[in-house]
Amino acid sequence: MGNAGPEPENLLVILPFREPTEVFERIKKNHPHIKITFKELMSTDTPWKGIEEIPKEIYKDATILVTLSALPPSPEDCPELQLIHFFSAGTNHIANSPIYTSTTIPLTTSSGIHGPQISEWVILTALAHSHYYSLLHSWQVDHNWGKGSNEPILNTLKDKAGERLAVLGYGSIGRQVARVGKAMGMDVIAYTASPRTTPESKHDRGFIVPGTGDPDGSIPSAWYSGLDKKSLHNFLSQGIDHLLISVPLTKETTHFIAEEEFKILGKNNAFISNISRGQIIKQSALIESLKKYADNDPLKRGDGGGGLRGAALDVADPEPLPKDDPLWDAPNCIITPHISGLGSAYVDRAFQVLEVNLDRREKGEKMINVVDRKRGY
């Protein structure tokens, strides 16, 4: 008898987007044994929460689920489920779900698809700060040519060549920021949870957008590692000009950057970018550090006060950030509402990760971007 081929699969897709018909046609062409059911679930202002409840019966026959946050209420509601693919880079937002805590259903993420757009946001906001864009834009709004090259503040501008970029969490996003920073003449150092002591251990084994990132881990001039404070402080003491926070949120990384860490970074009046999760930073300590610098601004003959010269935050704690939160008024702080990863290529790339794993499952190969529940990412 001949090969019967793959068993029939039921792919359930629940996402806050219009039905991606071209993507579905591609999947059906390459995997004709897969039946696709699509449900559009728009989100509320509260992150990860849909505007309606999904009837649990929809999960009954699904063998594969693609979702942002919608999950079956209990393991009993999804007896056939064999794989869940998330459209997010992390899974901390569903870590308390019974599907996460009480099953061994493989979970995969869309880590790797965010590097291009988020790296552009990191560089955009860093340059907006260092090039005094708020001042330049105010001149345009006022139809004012300004003082031009005679404006004293513009002559204090520092370009990025020769500065040190420290990437706290050298995953796919950190690697693409490192690539762009390196192209601008920056020295890059990397920090990971576990040691990367061999060339092989420095490779990126997740999904990589072609032409991006640091696949072989050759960009950093130095690597550091550890989840203990001593290791972290050693890394932060390396004369950092710009710190990128791109570690996943876990118990170990909650308030990973707080008073002590800002004090170390403040010695060099560093600039920080956070594109991970707001809880990784202790916000009250961040605000205090930014105020120290503003109160002792070198442009006004101060010494920087041992504070941060600026910050760019695409995440906050909590989200949405309340209107009366003091973070809004923190000096030299750029805030955007968790949008740095968005873009026209998002949906297609996230499904590309799924398609890689569909191929691997059918061949009996190891999947990529699989979540380690014990580590939390």
Side-chain angles (χ1 to χ4, degrees):
M1 293 180 62
N3 219 335
E7 291 289 326
E9 297 261 29
N10 292 314
L11 171 60
L12 173 62
V13 180
I14 305 176
L15 293 171
F17 311 108
R18 293 179 180 178
E19 183 171 353
T21 53
E22 291 185 7
V23 171
F24 286 173
E25 289 302 317
R26 187 174 72 213
I27 293 175
K28 291 175 183 177
K29 179 180 178 181
N30 296 324
H31 306 276
H33 63 290
I34 293 181
K35 175 186 175 182
I36 302 176
T37 302
F38 177 74
K39 168 68 176 177
E40 183 176 352
L41 177 65
M42 300 307 294
S43 299
T44 65
D45 289 338
T46 301
W48 317 116
K49 186 174 176 59
I51 60 174
E52 61 181 292
E53 292 294 326
I54 297 293
K56 64 181 182 180
E57 291 76 18
I58 198 172
Y59 301 105
K60 181 180 178 182
D61 298 320
T63 56
I64 303 170
L65 172 63
V66 174
T67 181
L68 183 63
S69 58
L71 288 174
S74 72
E76 291 73 29
D77 297 317
C78 53
E80 306 298 326
L81 200 56
Q82 301 170 23
L83 172 65
I84 303 175
H85 177 62
F86 289 92
F87 254 49
S88 54
T91 54
N92 64 286
H93 59 293
I94 55 88
N96 293 322
S97 163
I99 303 302
Y100 189 97
T101 60
S102 303
T103 78
T104 58
I105 299 170
L107 313 175
T108 59
T109 71
S110 295
S111 176
I113 74 168
H114 306 83
Q117 63 271 42
I118 293 184
S119 64
E120 292 180 12
W121 179 94
V122 171
I123 300 302
L124 163 72
T125 50
L127 292 179
H129 176 268
S130 64
H131 283 249
Y132 306 109
Y133 180 72
S134 294
L135 171 65
L136 302 181
H137 183 62
S138 70
W139 288 352
Q140 180 179 349
V141 170
D142 293 339
H143 297 191
N144 175 17
W145 190 251
K147 297 179 181 179
S149 60
N150 292 320
E151 173 59 50
I153 192 173
L154 298 181
N155 290 301
T156 68
L157 186 153
K158 294 181 179 179
D159 57 48
K160 299 303 178 186
E163 289 201 345
R164 172 159 288 172
L165 168 65
V167 181
L168 183 64
Y170 204 63
S172 61
I173 296 170
R175 288 170 185 255
Q176 177 61 8
V177 175
R179 186 187 185 109
V180 178
K182 180 80 170 180
M184 297 174 69
M186 302 183 80
D187 174 58
V188 178
I189 59 175
Y191 193 91
T192 55
S194 55
R196 307 296 176 91
T197 56
T198 66
E200 185 73 12
S201 68
K202 296 175 181 177
H203 289 191
D204 185 354
R205 304 196 178 283
F207 181 81
I208 302 173
V209 177
T212 71
D214 182 18
D216 61 1
S218 61
I219 289 177
S221 61
W223 290 69
Y224 301 81
S225 64
L227 289 172
D228 59 286
K229 287 292 187 178
K230 183 178 180 181
S231 297
L232 175 63
H233 292 174
N234 180 43
F235 172 68
L236 297 179
S237 300
Q238 301 305 309
I240 294 170
D241 297 293
H242 186 172
L243 176 69
L244 170 67
I245 299 171
S246 52
V247 291
L249 177 63
T250 64
K251 290 181 180 179
E252 292 81 7
T253 61
T254 299
H255 287 181
F256 205 40
I257 306 296
E259 286 90 350
E260 287 185 88
E261 291 71 36
F262 288 128
K263 184 177 181 180
I264 297 170
L265 291 165
K267 292 177 181 178
N268 212 44
N269 298 134
F271 181 90
I272 68 165
S273 301
N274 188 8
I275 52 80
S276 182
R277 295 291 185 268
Q279 296 93 323
I280 292 170
I281 286 178
K282 186 175 180 181
Q283 278 181 187
S284 59
L286 169 63
I287 295 170
E288 184 63 29
S289 183
L290 291 168
K291 286 181 176 179
K292 283 182 180 179
Y293 183 90
D295 291 343
N296 298 274
D297 193 336
L299 296 178
K300 300 176 182 177
R301 299 186 179 182
D303 61 1
L308 298 178
R309 70 176 183 273
L313 312 174
D314 189 47
V315 290
D317 181 20
E319 292 182 11
L321 190 65
K323 289 182 178 295
D324 60 352
D325 195 287
L327 185 64
W328 288 113
D329 298 315
N332 300 313
C333 186
I334 298 171
I335 301 172
T336 58
H338 209 145
I339 46 74
S340 65
L342 302 182
S344 60
Y346 192 107
V347 172
D348 190 78
R349 286 176 181 160
F351 273 110
Q352 286 180 38
V353 181
L354 173 68
E355 291 171 87
V356 167
N357 281 332
L358 291 178
D359 289 339
R360 292 192 171 212
R361 284 177 80 239
E362 291 172 17
K363 296 175 183 177
E365 297 175 355
K366 186 177 180 180
M367 295 190 294
I368 63 171
N369 289 13
V370 178
V371 175
D372 182 332
R373 282 172 165 85
K374 291 183 179 179
R375 297 177 69 182
Y377 56 95

